[in-house]
Structure formats: C-alpha cells, structure tokens
C-alpha cells in the first residue's frame, strides 16, 4: 500500500502526485474521488477575503487541478475513467443559523465544474458526477454540538429524521465510479435523508 500526499491547491504538487500515482499503478488511475475539503462557519460580514480565497482554493481549485491532471493522463493513454466530486447540499440551500457563504459558493462551483467536466470529457469516455452529502456524522459536523437543538433540526428538516453516516455516502461514490453507472454523467446526487426535497 502506497500513500502519496500533496497540496491540492498547488498545480506543481498535483502534477507530481498524479504522475507518481500512475507510475505506482502501472498506468493512469481510472477512478478519481475529489474529496479534499474544509468547512468553516463565518457570517458574511465577518468573512475576510483571505478566508474566502482559502476556502475556494481547497474546495474548488483543488478538484479542478486534480481532475484536469487525471483526465489529461487518461486521454493521453486513450483510457476511459470516472470522476466523483464531493459537493454538498449547501450548494442548493442557505442556512441562516450556520452561515457559510464561502463554503456554499465553493460547493456550488463544484457542481458547475462537474457538469463541464462531464460535457467536455464525455467523448473521451470519462464520466464526471457529484455527490452532495447532507448532515453526515463526521468530525466536521457541528449540528449535534447541542444535541437537543440538533435533534429538533433533524426532526423538522430531514425526512428520515437522523444523521447520515460515511458508509452511506461511500456507497453512492462507489456506485458512481463503477460500471453500474456507465450511462450516468453530469449528475448531482444528494445523500441527505430527503432534506433537499422539502
């Protein structure tokens, strides 16, 4: 098992990591999951330009750079592939109680980027889709810091009335990356317990 690390906001480091991965795999990776991301709560009037730039650099520039490098390697080799970008239900809805304009904008950008990847790279056999998690039980989640308030939110805003778990998101990612999703590209799949349906 090999582990490669790098800064997704650095074009040079991304290029080196993708090239090294290809060497270790004996050819370009045919599956990419763009999952690097950060989440920070900050009201718009308190949001500094540096905070905005950092969020978009990691959450949007990162998927662009890595997706571009992987697609270029696949196209050069004449191989098909699948890209799964991690967006968020925050790309669809705002939240006054947990203000994250810079996060929301970055994740909406991921959806637009995904659609463009899908359209441009379809002739080369590369599919691109996005997964949009809702409230998922991960260390990043702040909703349940106050359990009573968190449960009230789940009861009112999530039809399944519970948090999702990482395995449920991973299952959708695996499906989108697999041959079972061979006619699916440019899609954004919410994994949110129904929250975006209400």
């Amino acid at each position: 098992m090999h582990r490669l690390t790098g800064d997704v906001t650095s074009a040079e480091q991304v290029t080196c990591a993708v090239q090294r991965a290809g060497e270790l795999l004996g050819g370009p990776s045919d599956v990419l999951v763009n999952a690097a991301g950060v989440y920070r709560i900050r009201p718009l009037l308190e949001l500094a330009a540096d905070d905005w730039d950092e969020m978009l650099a990691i959450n949007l520039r990162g998927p662009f750079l890595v997706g571009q490098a992987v697609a270029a390697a696949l196209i050069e080799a004449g191989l098909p592939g699948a890209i799964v970008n991690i967006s968020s239900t925050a790309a669809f809805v705002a939240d006054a109680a947990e203000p994250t304009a810079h996060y929301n904008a970055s994740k909406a950008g991921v959806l637009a980027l995904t659609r463009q990847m899908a359209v441009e790279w379809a002739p080369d056999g590369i599919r691109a889709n996005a997964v949009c998690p809702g409230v998922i039980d991960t260390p990043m989640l702040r909703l349940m810091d106050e359990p009573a308030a968190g449960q009230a939110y789940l009861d009112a805003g999530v039809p399944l009335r519970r948090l999702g778990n990482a395995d449920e998101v991973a299952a959708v990612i695996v499906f989108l990356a697999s041959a079972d999703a061979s006619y699916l590209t440019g899609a954004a799949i919410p994994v949110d317990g129904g929250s975006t349906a209400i």
Side-chain angles (χ1 to χ4, degrees):
M1 175 69 106
H2 297 278
R3 182 176 184 154
L4 301 175
T5 60
D7 179 353
V8 297
T9 71
S10 165
E12 296 78 13
Q13 290 190 39
V14 166
T15 298
C16 290
V18 170
Q19 287 176 346
R20 180 64 179 140
E23 292 167 5
L24 294 170
L25 293 169
S29 174
D30 61 348
V31 172
L32 167 64
V33 179
N34 270 314
V38 293
Y39 177 80
R40 296 192 179 95
I41 300 168
R42 195 147 301 148
L44 269 169
L45 290 179
E46 299 172 16
L47 188 59
D50 287 347
D51 297 326
W52 177 275
D53 291 345
E54 179 194 35
M55 182 71 71
L56 269 73
I58 296 169
N59 289 5
L60 185 55
R61 177 182 167 94
F64 156 66
L65 290 175
V66 181
Q68 184 185 58
V70 169
L74 286 169
I75 292 167
E76 183 179 351
L79 297 171
I83 296 171
V84 183
N85 294 321
I86 307 303
S87 181
S88 169
T89 55
F92 304 116
V93 295
D95 187 346
E98 200 167 281
T100 56
H102 50 340
Y103 179 79
N104 295 22
S106 72
K107 292 303 185 177
V110 167
L111 295 187
L113 176 64
T114 300
R115 290 189 289 268
Q116 195 63 36
M117 287 176 169
V119 169
E120 288 195 31
W121 297 335
D124 299 294
I126 298 172
R127 298 182 300 104
N129 292 289
V131 174
C132 304
V135 285
I136 307 299
D137 191 8
T138 70
M140 190 182 287
L141 183 71
R142 300 271 53 91
L143 176 68
M144 302 307 288
D145 285 353
E146 297 180 26
Q151 190 58 54
Y153 172 87
L154 293 174
D155 291 344
V158 180
L160 290 182
R161 296 188 174 188
R162 66 172 177 84
L163 297 175
N165 65 63
D167 288 344
E168 290 170 312
V169 178
V172 178
I173 294 169
V174 169
F175 166 70
L176 289 173
S178 76
D180 290 337
S182 59
Y183 199 56
L184 194 59
T185 197
I189 311 295
V191 185
D192 65 354
S195 65
T196 52
I198 58 175

